[in-house]
Amino acid sequence: MSPVEGCPSVFQATCSLSPGIYQYKFFVDGEWRHDEHQPTISGEYGIVNTLYLTREFNQINSVLSPSTPGNRMNMDVDNENFQRMVTLSDGNIQDSHLRVSEAAIQISRSRVIGYLSSHTGYDLLPDSGKVIALDINLPVKQSFHILHEQGIPVAPLWDSFRGQFVGLLSPLDFILILKELETHGSNLTEEQLETHTISAWKESKRQTYGRNDGQGRPQQPLVHATPYESLRDIALKILQNGISTVPIIYSPSSDGSFPQLLHLASLSGILKCICRYFKNSTGNLPILNQPVCTIPLGSWVPKIGDPSCRPLAILRRSASLSSALNLLVQAGVSSIPIVDENDSLIDTYSRSDITALAKDKVYTHVRLEEMAIQQALQLGQDTNTPFGYFNGQRCQMCLRSDPLLKVMERLANPGVRRVFIVEAGSKRVEGIISLSDIFKFLLSL
């Protein structure tokens, strides 16, 4: 065992193991010792050893089966400790009393932080691609039509008079606009929306919401990053400012003039870098192969997680679009699971879905209170695509027994900001893990 970089009190040794059950002990200061917090067994190398379980839980039943010759003779399992750790049924974890060790968490955090600190915004730039910015003098309606047609949720705003990027246009802006249109006595009519510029809307927004952005957060200048900043600093900017995107802007001048927009950085892009770097050496991050239910992150229903936690925000498919938009704004989340009468997951509604109403001026002849969430989603889909298609990128699901790496890879997909943890078979929603949950856990925030 050798000390872990950045954690002088933590020692580790990495072993490559195939699925199964293993006996191990520690040789500390000339003395063989075992981990008293883990289940123990009696074996040929000592009276007590710890029991190690890999993520292939379905193999354990056959290994421990009483019909297997010699199992009881060679491995006297402490059944109470073993069953307290995990109960198996069809290969799924039914009890999550086991939690990943603090040492494994600290090792993983140290290595992720080390990686993020040694790589910069340049690592996020694709080999080829396009970045779309909108002039602040464009009409609002046309702007959201562009977002929908280009399949992008957010676009930086360019002020040609000042020669600067001055903000972002996001689905939240369109949600607030539609909520104004639904409000009696609104100063913004459908006709005005055709010619109302982004600049005028932003000014109207400042007057309507004062110093807040509509979600109670103070308005602030454009948060951006340079390509020289570390991935860790870029991730912290996103988390600390409660935003989804940070433009990476390069300026050849020290005063920031002649800015060049290189990329739109997001947590999903940074997470993709992490997954790509550590995927083939998961032993360097001990938590990657741990079942996600054993790791303290995300929001869970009371029976799975903390009994004092708040209920998950969910929608019924019969819910109105207005209630969906209100919940998105009030909960401050990027998407909400849509469930049936049995709480089984059938789809998800995201903030970016709102831009579908800009197509063909749909927003001019619908009422948010009268349109069901199912109808709203089908506006942005092919008419032949059934409601609640799981094979697409929209509805990302995992089981609580799935390893953390699988959840992270799902969240690294573009446009995905939340993974729904569902019960096998019924697909009942048991938890939600977001991009911000992952990064707050990895960065120990």
Side-chain angles (χ1 to χ4, degrees):
M1 303 183 75
S2 57
V4 175
E5 183 179 353
C7 299
S9 62
V10 178
F11 291 76
Q12 68 146 10
T14 301
C15 301
S16 179
L17 302 175
S18 58
I21 297 180
Y22 299 87
Q23 302 177 26
Y24 67 94
K25 298 177 70 173
F26 301 95
F27 194 69
V28 183
D29 297 332
E31 180 183 0
W32 284 101
R33 302 179 62 179
H34 68 280
D35 187 349
E36 297 179 354
H37 299 290
Q38 300 294 334
T40 60
I41 61 175
S42 298
E44 58 181 308
Y45 296 108
I47 298 176
V48 288
N49 288 316
T50 41
L51 183 66
Y52 177 83
L53 295 178
T54 66
R55 66 187 184 93
E56 299 294 336
F57 294 109
N58 57 340
Q59 297 193 11
I60 296 173
N61 287 329
S62 61
V63 173
L64 294 182
S65 172
S67 61
T68 303
N71 271 351
R72 300 296 298 176
M73 182 185 306
N74 297 329
M75 186 179 294
D76 186 13
V77 179
D78 184 333
N79 287 313
E80 180 179 354
N81 283 341
F82 180 82
Q83 293 179 9
R84 175 178 57 83
M85 178 179 179
V86 62
T87 301
L88 303 168
S89 175
D90 298 327
N92 293 325
I93 298 179
Q94 302 298 327
D95 190 355
S96 58
H97 290 296
L98 174 67
R99 287 292 180 265
V100 64
S101 70
E102 186 63 27
I105 292 176
Q106 293 304 323
I107 291 170
S108 301
R109 282 173 172 167
S110 174
R111 289 181 172 167
V112 168
I113 291 174
Y115 168 79
L116 294 178
S117 299
S118 62
H119 291 74
T120 67
Y122 274 115
D123 292 280
L124 298 176
L125 304 186
D127 294 333
S128 63
K130 63 180 179 181
V131 184
I132 295 176
L134 301 176
D135 192 286
I136 61 171
N137 293 315
L138 274 175
V140 170
K141 184 263 176 184
Q142 183 181 351
S143 302
F144 284 109
H145 183 76
I146 292 173
L147 294 184
H148 174 69
E149 289 297 314
Q150 296 296 323
I152 55 176
V154 178
L157 300 177
W158 172 254
D159 187 333
S160 55
F161 178 77
R162 297 165 58 184
Q164 294 178 345
F165 292 98
V166 295
L168 294 172
L169 188 69
S170 72
L172 178 61
D173 288 301
F174 200 21
I175 291 174
L176 296 179
I177 288 174
L178 292 179
K179 287 172 65 68
E180 278 199 35
L181 291 175
E182 284 287 289
T183 303
H184 295 293
S186 172
N187 294 323
L188 187 61
T189 65
E190 290 87 344
E191 293 76 14
Q192 288 174 320
L193 191 57
E194 295 293 318
T195 57
H196 205 61
T197 65
I198 300 175
S199 177
W201 156 246
K202 290 291 187 180
E203 180 58 34
S204 173
K205 181 180 173 182
R206 279 190 287 270
Q207 294 177 1
T208 302
Y209 298 99
R211 294 184 177 181
N212 294 328
D213 64 356
Q215 287 185 285
R217 296 178 307 201
Q219 291 185 349
Q220 53 193 352
L222 174 65
V223 179
H224 69 280
T226 71
Y228 305 110
E229 291 186 52
S230 71
L231 296 183
R232 179 177 181 272
D233 290 340
I234 294 175
L236 288 174
K237 281 188 176 182
I238 294 175
L239 293 171
Q240 292 170 354
N241 290 281
I243 53 182
S244 63
T245 303
V246 167
I248 296 182
I249 299 174
Y250 168 75
S251 174
S253 305
S254 58
D255 61 358
S257 57
F258 306 106
Q260 300 173 24
L261 179 62
L262 302 181
H263 187 63
L264 296 181
S266 64
L267 292 180
S268 63
I270 299 175
L271 187 61
K272 187 174 183 178
C273 291
I274 295 174
C275 291
R276 183 170 58 239
Y277 184 80
F278 290 102
K279 182 175 182 178
N280 296 322
S281 57
T282 54
N284 289 327
L285 290 188
I287 61 172
L288 285 186
N289 286 329
Q290 295 294 324
V292 70
C293 68
T294 67
I295 301 173
L297 59 81
S299 302
W300 298 80
V301 294
K303 66 178 181 179
I304 299 297
D306 186 355
S308 64
C309 67
R310 295 181 301 173
L312 299 178
I314 60 175
L315 288 168
R316 303 291 179 187
R317 54 183 162 187
S318 58
S320 68
L321 179 57
S322 178
S323 62
L325 300 183
N326 287 334
L327 192 54
L328 281 170
V329 174
Q330 293 168 4
V333 295
S334 58
S335 61
I336 298 176
I338 302 172
V339 301
D340 61 15
E341 295 73 17
N342 298 316
D343 290 341
S344 298
L345 183 67
I346 53 177
D347 213 318
T348 179
Y349 192 80
S350 303
R351 285 187 187 180
S352 55
D353 291 321
I354 195 65
T355 57
L357 298 184
K359 185 179 181 181
D360 301 326
K361 303 180 182 179
V362 172
Y363 62 86
T364 62
H365 55 266
V366 300
R367 292 190 60 81
L368 304 184
E369 286 288 354
E370 298 173 357
M371 174 174 279
I373 196 69
Q374 178 174 347
Q375 294 174 288
L377 280 174
Q378 290 178 333
L379 288 173
Q381 301 176 13
D382 185 277
T383 55
N384 296 321
T385 302
F387 178 60
Y389 60 103
F390 287 111
N391 292 329
Q393 293 295 312
R394 295 181 44 79
C395 210
Q396 294 290 337
M397 299 183 298
C398 283
L399 303 177
R400 60 180 182 264
S401 58
D402 285 337
L404 176 62
L405 177 61
K406 182 176 180 179
V407 175
M408 291 171 59
E409 289 178 333
R410 294 285 177 87
L411 285 169
N413 288 319
V416 176
R417 297 189 63 191
R418 310 180 93 195
V419 166
F420 305 113
I421 309 300
V422 299
E423 184 180 58
S426 69
K427 291 187 173 65
R428 281 195 290 266
V429 179
E430 296 184 329
I432 300 175
I433 298 177
S434 68
L435 275 167
S436 59
D437 290 333
I438 293 288
F439 277 87
K440 288 177 180 178
F441 169 74
L442 292 176
L443 298 178
S444 189
L445 298 180

